[in-house]
Amino acid sequence: MLNIKIGDYDINPNSKTFIIAELSANHNGSIETAIETIRAAKRAGADCIKLQTYTADTITLDSNKEDFIIKDTIWSGKKLYDLYMEAYTPWEWHQKLFDVAKSEGLICFSSPFDKTAVDFLEKLEVPAYKIASFEITDIPLIEYVASKGKPVIFSTGIAELEDIELAISTCRKVGNDQICLLKCTSSYPAPIEEANLSMIKDFANRFNVISGLSDHTLGSTVPIVATILGAKIIEKHFILNHSIGGPDASFSLDEEQFTKMVNSIREAELSIGDVSYNLTNKQKKGKDFARSLYIVEDIKKGEIFSLHNIKSIRPGFGLHPKYLNQIIGKRSTQALTKGSRLEKSNIENFES
């Protein structure tokens, strides 16, 4: 059975869903906010806190050219460089944030955006790597990440089939088959009608990988449905409080919202169950309210059973209704009163 281990968490088709709280830019430039956000993620029920490891200079150029101006998003009009200067998590914070996560019992890893970030994260002994949606075509980066021999989690937000195939084959060529694919819609926030959660099962079946969801929709409906459809990893942006603002605040969940999402995911997992036609003891008790055959008019010994004196009614303590037609026309072996259960011994020459 396919199994991937991230820290001490085994992820496989039968495991609980691994829930990642994405810190992203939601520290708003304050390490104290970042630390308290990690602690809040633990309180909210997350299994993991994820960082992003880049600087503005490792991810883009400081250019005023039109290509570097963001369009048609919540960040429209900003330069890429300025956005990433605002959003990045300082590298000198990482060790402290990893230590806080460990003390809280949270797994912690990150998304690197270039090779220098990978080298830096290797020194922190990260248990896994995340390839962000927009980096899924950066094959040299993927090859370098995969060469470290740790689980590689891909968001597929901008990926077409050939992009996914190339990313997976790149990992496997360097001997790394610890691959997770997350369905992702790279809109911020993402319209719920574009979630396309049917891809989760297709990812797992088509590519023989762990599949899941990186979600940018508002609310928790999509993560809950994804869980029912087999997602074994759920990633959602997490913010301490929406009042702090920041680039990612509008599509992040706060502690109360994230807690409700986690609780709903755990309830959804319980609801899935197994393919079984066996009833639980409580379900068997429900058979008391099923239909069965009862005497509905007093019957004398030797009297013929008819549709006037026996019927299929509730409760379910009498003979099974399937015998009704077989019983009609036979005689009673004894006197029976209205409201009595009809039993085999009451019926002359009865063969079940």
Side-chain angles (χ1 to χ4, degrees):
M1 178 176 65
L2 187 63
N3 185 82
I4 289 173
K5 195 173 185 70
I6 297 179
D8 58 0
Y9 205 108
D10 287 308
I11 306 172
N12 59 63
N14 297 324
S15 68
K16 290 174 63 178
T17 302
F18 185 63
I19 300 176
I20 301 171
E22 166 66 77
L23 176 64
S24 64
N26 286 331
H27 49 70
N28 212 18
S30 163
I31 190 170
E32 290 79 15
T33 298
I35 290 169
E36 186 50 41
T37 302
I38 292 171
R39 291 174 175 153
K42 175 63 176 180
R43 294 194 298 269
D47 300 303
C48 172
I49 190 83
K50 192 186 77 65
L51 313 181
Q52 296 180 358
T53 306
Y54 65 87
T55 68
D57 290 302
T58 66
I59 202 169
T60 192
L61 291 177
D62 186 5
S63 172
N64 293 319
K65 289 190 174 182
E66 189 68 18
D67 286 355
F68 293 84
I69 308 300
I70 302 170
K71 305 172 184 66
D72 301 323
T73 77
I74 57 173
W75 309 297
S76 291
K78 278 193 173 186
K79 284 169 47 179
L80 283 173
Y81 193 88
D82 292 343
L83 174 64
Y84 298 132
M85 279 293 294
E86 177 186 0
Y88 91 108
T89 302
W91 292 24
E92 59 268 24
W93 293 5
H94 279 53
Q95 183 67 69
K96 178 64 174 177
L97 299 184
F98 271 70
D99 290 344
V100 171
K102 184 177 181 179
S103 70
E104 292 291 329
L106 285 174
I107 294 167
C108 185
F109 62 93
S110 187
S111 298
F113 290 79
D114 78 325
K115 289 184 178 182
T116 66
V118 178
D119 293 339
F120 174 74
L121 291 169
E122 278 294 291
K123 294 176 183 177
L124 296 175
E125 299 181 344
V126 291
Y129 286 100
K130 168 76 186 299
I131 300 295
S133 291
F134 300 126
E135 275 59 48
I136 198 168
T137 57
D138 190 343
I139 299 307
L141 175 63
I142 292 170
E143 184 175 26
Y144 194 61
V145 166
S147 72
K148 303 306 176 183
K150 297 172 182 177
V152 183
I153 303 170
F154 291 95
S155 276
T156 60
I158 63 159
E160 298 181 90
L161 178 59
E162 65 228 45
D163 298 319
I164 297 172
E165 290 173 337
L166 181 56
I168 290 174
S169 66
T170 299
C171 286
R172 289 176 171 157
K173 280 179 182 177
V174 296
N176 191 333
D177 200 30
Q178 302 176 81
I179 301 167
C180 308
L181 288 180
L182 305 187
K183 178 64 184 77
C184 177
T185 305
S186 292
S187 300
Y188 306 91
I192 197 167
E193 63 272 18
E194 293 181 12
N196 202 13
L197 297 181
S198 296
M199 297 295 289
I200 290 171
K201 284 186 178 180
D202 190 70
F203 282 169
N205 295 333
R206 183 188 297 262
F207 301 110
N208 190 32
V209 296
I210 297 293
S211 63
L213 171 74
S214 178
D215 186 44
H216 302 128
T217 64
L218 301 178
S220 57
T221 298
V222 169
I224 295 164
V225 175
T227 301
I228 295 293
L229 293 176
K232 306 317 296 185
I233 297 177
I234 298 289
E235 180 187 67
K236 190 82 170 175
H237 281 68
F238 182 73
I239 192 167
L240 187 61
N241 190 305
H242 283 102
S243 65
I244 68 175
D248 299 342
S250 65
F251 53 90
S252 300
L253 299 185
D254 62 23
E255 183 176 348
E256 180 181 359
Q257 293 168 326
F258 202 94
T259 300
K260 289 180 179 178
M261 181 193 76
V262 170
N263 290 340
S264 295
I265 286 172
R266 298 306 180 211
E267 289 176 354
E269 289 174 325
L270 291 173
S271 76
I272 295 169
D274 301 309
V275 177
S276 174
Y277 294 96
N278 297 320
L279 300 181
T280 64
N281 290 332
K282 183 174 285 190
Q283 289 169 329
K284 288 176 182 177
K285 187 64 179 172
K287 283 197 161 189
D288 292 354
F289 297 96
R291 294 264 179 159
S292 68
L293 299 181
Y294 268 79
I295 308 303
V296 295
E297 297 289 345
D298 289 347
I299 293 176
K300 297 175 183 178
K301 181 178 180 179
E303 187 174 341
I304 293 174
F305 291 112
S306 70
L307 293 177
H308 297 291
N309 55 30
I310 60 170
K311 283 187 178 180
S312 171
I313 60 171
R314 295 185 183 185
F317 302 111
L319 202 58
H320 196 290
K322 68 183 179 181
Y323 297 117
L324 180 61
N325 291 336
Q326 185 179 341
I327 293 165
I328 299 301
K330 293 188 181 295
R331 295 183 182 276
S332 175
T333 59
Q334 62 193 88
L336 300 167
T337 58
K338 181 179 179 180
S340 300
R341 304 172 185 176
L342 182 60
E343 298 176 347
K344 293 177 182 180
S345 61
N346 305 145
I347 306 160
E348 192 176 82
N349 299 324
F350 179 76
E351 295 180 1
S352 58

